[in-house]
Amino acid sequence: MIAVFRLRAPARARLHALRELYRRFFGENTPEARGRRLLSEWLSEEQRAQFAQHRHFDVIGCDSGKRYRIHYGTAANVHEIDDAGNATMGWCFVPSGFLVPGDVMLAQKIALETDEKGALALANRFPPATHSEHFYRRPF
């Protein structure tokens, strides 16, 4: 009976370690996690720090030089901002297909930085939301 007990403890430890490995592997390899990781690779150091702290990052439009803030999300998450960082106009444009937020945000970043006029020509405009509406968005 003692020999069986000695075998069970290491087996339990190995099983626990294996479960933890699977949990970490699948947690870090979900589509959403992969999308955030790809987005992070494309962000500048400043944008990456801004995104980590605030769940948004700023980009400069290639045609007008205007600043846009891209919030975590898949739609109605781009805001034109003034020098004080206040939203002046909202823009909704997304790539085709069902994509996770990180992939959508990366497409929006690239579109504004390489073809701002084309992106905004396709976008729907909307009045900017109040600060409290952004405060209550679902965390990731």
Side-chain angles (χ1 to χ4, degrees), residues 2 15 18 22 49 54 56-57 59 64 88 92 103 109-110 121 127:
I2 292 178
L15 182 60
L18 186 59
Y22 277 122
H54 302 290
H56 67 250
F57 57 90
V59 299
S64 69
T88 59
C92 183
D103 293 340
K109 169 188 166 55
I110 292 170

Side-chain angles (χ1 to χ4, degrees), residues 98-116:
F98 178 75
L99 299 172
V100 295
D103 293 340
V104 171
M105 295 169 66
L106 178 56
Q108 291 166 331
K109 169 188 166 55
I110 292 170
L112 289 170
E113 291 177 339
T114 61
D115 186 18
E116 177 187 11

Side-chain angles (χ1 to χ4, degrees), residues 11-57:
R12 278 195 308 264
R14 283 193 302 273
L15 182 60
H16 178 72
L18 186 59
R19 283 183 185 157
E20 182 65 17
L21 179 65
Y22 277 122
R23 187 187 66 77
R24 285 187 184 181
F25 175 78
F26 287 115
E28 294 172 1
N29 282 302
T30 63
E32 192 164 332
R34 288 192 310 267
R36 280 195 311 269
R37 200 165 39 246
L38 180 63
L39 172 64
S40 181
E41 291 172 7
W42 278 74
L43 296 177
S44 68
E45 287 296 324
E46 182 180 339
Q47 290 171 327
R48 197 175 299 118
Q50 188 181 23
F51 183 62
Q53 184 175 4
H54 302 290
R55 294 183 33 156
H56 67 250
F57 57 90

Side-chain angles (χ1 to χ4, degrees), residues 60-118:
I60 305 297
C62 64
D63 298 318
S64 69
K66 292 181 181 179
R67 285 179 42 206
Y68 298 91
R69 183 161 288 158
I70 301 176
H71 295 267
Y72 184 81
T74 57
N77 61 321
V78 178
H79 292 95
E80 186 177 321
I81 56 174
D82 61 19
D83 291 336
N86 299 314
T88 59
M89 180 58 63
W91 298 95
C92 183
F93 60 98
V94 296
S96 298
F98 178 75
L99 299 172
V100 295
D103 293 340
V104 171
M105 295 169 66
L106 178 56
Q108 291 166 331
K109 169 188 166 55
I110 292 170
L112 289 170
E113 291 177 339
T114 61
D115 186 18
E116 177 187 11
K117 286 181 182 176

